[in-house]
Amino acid sequence: QVQLVESGGGLVQAGDSLRLSCAASGRTSSAYAMGWFRQAPGREREIVASISWSGTTYYADSVKGRFTISRNNARNTVYLQMNSLKPEDTAVYFCAVRPAGTWDYWGQGTQVTVSS
């Protein structure tokens, strides 16, 4: 089992920045891919960004150029730096771990609210 705990969410104004953190514990491995997802009210959960064990990253088109995902394998932690936030970024943000082909482990989520 892998436990994930997110932190760093909050209420900000449009144009502000936030940095989310997700600490993993339990049967973790630096070989696992890690990612960030979000779910806004009335919408399906969507992937925001992911990072492989080697540092290869993926970003949703909606956040490219504004968000940056990174990881510290020594600390089993993944980060999401969010700049130039927009009201449409408002959602609950979840981190997840992908040991193999599927995202098997999830955090409890952290709320990000961006006011206009």
Side-chain angles (χ1 to χ4, degrees):
Q1 290 288 340
V2 176
Q3 293 78 45
L4 302 169
V5 179
E6 302 99 335
S7 61
L11 171 63
V12 297
Q13 293 186 332
D16 286 350
S17 298
L18 275 177
R19 188 193 194 206
L20 304 183
S21 300
C22 174
S25 61
R27 298 177 67 86
T28 62
S29 170
S30 60
Y32 296 169
M34 303 184 79
W36 288 96
F37 292 72
R38 66 186 180 187
Q39 187 167 19
R43 301 189 66 176
E44 293 187 355
R45 189 173 299 188
E46 61 177 0
I47 187 167
V48 175
S50 66
I51 185 167
S52 72
W53 66 272
S54 62
T56 301
T57 57
Y58 163 85
Y59 295 95
D61 288 343
S62 59
V63 306
K64 281 181 181 177
R66 300 188 298 123
F67 291 10
T68 302
I69 189 170
S70 61
R71 65 190 292 171
N72 183 323
N73 289 334
R75 296 186 176 186
N76 293 318
T77 302
V78 63
Y79 306 95
L80 186 68
Q81 177 67 42
M82 306 186 293
N83 298 330
S84 302
L85 282 161
K86 304 175 180 180
E88 50 264 44
D89 295 318
T90 295
V92 178
Y93 283 71
F94 301 87
C95 73
V97 168
R98 188 179 67 198
T102 57
W103 297 95
D104 291 336
Y105 302 103
W106 295 83
Q108 81 288 350
T110 185
Q111 177 70 47
V112 172
T113 303
V114 184
S115 64
S116 58

